[in-house]
Amino acid sequence: MNETAIAVSGLRKAFGDKVVLDGIDLDVPEGTIFSLLGPNGAGKTTTVNVLTTLTRADGGTARVAGHDVATEQKAVRSAIGVTGQFAAVDELLTGQENLQLMADLSPVPPKEGKRIVADLLERFELTEAAGKPSSTYSGGMRRKLDLAMTLVGSPRVIFLDEPTTGLDPRSRRTMWSIIRELVADGVTVFLTTQYLEEADQLADRIAVLDQGRLVAQGTSDELKRRIPGTHVRLRFTSAAELDAAEPLFPGATRDYEALSLRVPGDAGTRSLRALLDRLDEHSLNAEELSVHTPDLDDVFLALTGHTTEVEAK
């Protein structure tokens, strides 16, 4: 069993009369990726700020890497790395100079710092651009440099606050690959995101945060199983075929415009075979058949009543 890297109990935070975190509980094992999923305004960044000692909570407790964030701030900061929503690179410096600055500010010896900088430039495929001002870097390169700077001190826990916001699909997948490599090396990653696919692809466990409250926690598959919705979609070439097929499947719903029928089921091979046999018995032929299972978007919509693209009020 993995040790606990982040333990949160009853965490509360308000700004004036607006409650941002309303008693949340979290437990993140070491060497895993934990994703906090929610729309803008849900409280994700506030959670990160509390756990990284940038903001004091109003109530509850939180421990990161075994240290209390309220009373052992220095110990927490020495164990973590933080990459915020926007790349915190100095655009007047080159990529190498940005990394060297971080190395100079860390407690590592100068010779070791130079080795770390060289290794990180190579690891993040920034060696060729190392001598160029970071202002000339693409968005994806800036994000890679930002994350590389976070790793200079070899943190045990890394907080990534919406690290791929604004990146193109290729750069986003490159970041995913880097994050997976970090975890393979034993690092714990606390990831906030509003991208459902990102949480689905990366996270060992996911917590859904909505208006300061955790409405669900679990693996991606566990969350998907919480809601119904698996169905087979049959599309026909004529309204007559659609009319004839509908009575054969109790609970089915039709879409006249698309000439399709949505048949609830578990999408297993046995139920699919029975469905096709039923059509064949009545000499009906579906032009197209597709199986649909709930995704995280369906989960989020079912749990919160809106999608992650809608700002929480």
Side-chain angles (χ1 to χ4, degrees):
M1 295 291 292
N2 291 357
E3 296 292 329
T4 297
I6 302 171
V8 176
S9 178
L11 203 63
R12 296 181 178 276
K13 182 65 183 178
F15 295 100
D17 60 355
K18 180 175 176 55
V19 177
V20 181
L21 298 177
D22 193 6
I24 68 172
D25 301 313
L26 297 172
D27 188 88
V28 182
E30 289 181 348
T32 64
I33 301 176
F34 184 92
S35 179
L36 192 59
L37 179 66
N40 292 331
K44 302 189 302 298
T45 296
T46 300
T47 302
V48 170
N49 287 345
V50 170
L51 296 180
T52 57
T53 75
L54 296 175
T55 300
R56 280 190 173 273
D58 297 329
T61 61
R63 298 183 71 84
V64 176
H67 305 291
D68 189 291
V69 299
T71 62
E72 302 174 88
Q73 294 184 343
K74 187 174 181 180
V76 171
R77 291 170 183 173
S78 69
I80 67 173
V82 184
T83 297
Q85 292 186 30
F86 306 101
V89 302
D90 189 326
E91 296 192 349
L92 297 177
L93 301 180
T94 66
Q96 182 165 358
E97 288 169 343
N98 268 286
L99 284 168
Q100 190 61 54
L101 176 62
M102 295 301 295
D104 291 343
L105 293 172
S106 72
V108 300
K111 184 178 290 187
E112 179 69 8
K114 289 184 180 299
R115 184 194 63 78
I116 291 173
V117 168
D119 288 348
L120 287 171
L121 287 171
E122 182 177 356
R123 180 176 186 177
F124 285 81
E125 299 179 347
L126 293 170
T127 303
E128 289 187 11
K132 298 177 181 178
S134 59
S135 60
T136 65
Y137 287 13
S138 66
M141 291 173 67
R142 278 199 195 91
R143 285 311 251 167
K144 288 199 292 184
L145 176 59
D146 194 26
L147 183 51
M149 291 165 63
T150 299
L151 298 180
V152 167
S154 300
R156 294 158 52 195
V157 180
I158 296 177
F159 292 86
L160 303 179
D161 191 11
E162 302 193 20
T164 63
T165 296
L167 296 187
D168 60 81
R170 181 178 178 181
S171 296
R172 181 173 295 142
R173 291 185 179 277
T174 298
M175 287 294 292
W176 291 357
S177 178
I178 292 170
I179 292 169
R180 291 189 183 102
E181 290 172 5
L182 291 174
V183 175
D185 290 340
V187 173
T188 303
V189 173
F190 188 100
L191 170 74
T192 75
T193 184
Q194 56 181 313
Y195 294 122
L196 296 154
E197 183 189 10
E198 187 158 272
D200 206 0
Q201 287 283 333
L202 292 176
D204 297 295
R205 288 186 65 79
I206 298 168
V208 180
L209 184 66
D210 186 46
Q211 298 184 20
R213 291 177 176 268
L214 285 180
V215 294
Q217 289 191 62
T219 67
S220 178
D221 288 341
E222 286 170 349
L223 293 179
K224 291 173 186 176
R225 285 197 295 268
R226 290 185 57 163
I227 64 170
T230 300
H231 65 276
V232 176
R233 181 176 180 271
L234 302 171
R235 187 172 64 81
F236 298 92
T237 56
S238 69
E241 288 179 313
L242 177 61
D243 289 339
E246 183 181 11
L248 305 180
F249 304 104
T253 55
R254 63 193 296 165
D255 182 335
Y256 279 107
E257 187 175 344
L259 294 177
S260 68
L261 193 65
R262 174 174 168 160
V263 183
D266 60 13
T269 55
R270 182 174 296 177
S271 60
L272 283 175
R273 188 178 298 113
L275 182 149
L276 294 173
D277 288 344
R278 188 79 169 144
L279 288 174
D280 193 50
E281 287 171 8
H282 291 79
S283 302
L284 292 171
N285 179 60
E287 182 71 14
E288 182 182 294
L289 179 150
S290 54
V291 177
H292 298 262
T293 56
D295 57 20
L296 283 182
D297 201 3
D298 298 317
V299 172
F300 198 90
L301 183 60
L303 291 172
T304 69
H306 54 78
T307 70
T308 56
E309 296 177 358
V310 178
E311 285 203 14
K313 301 298 184 185

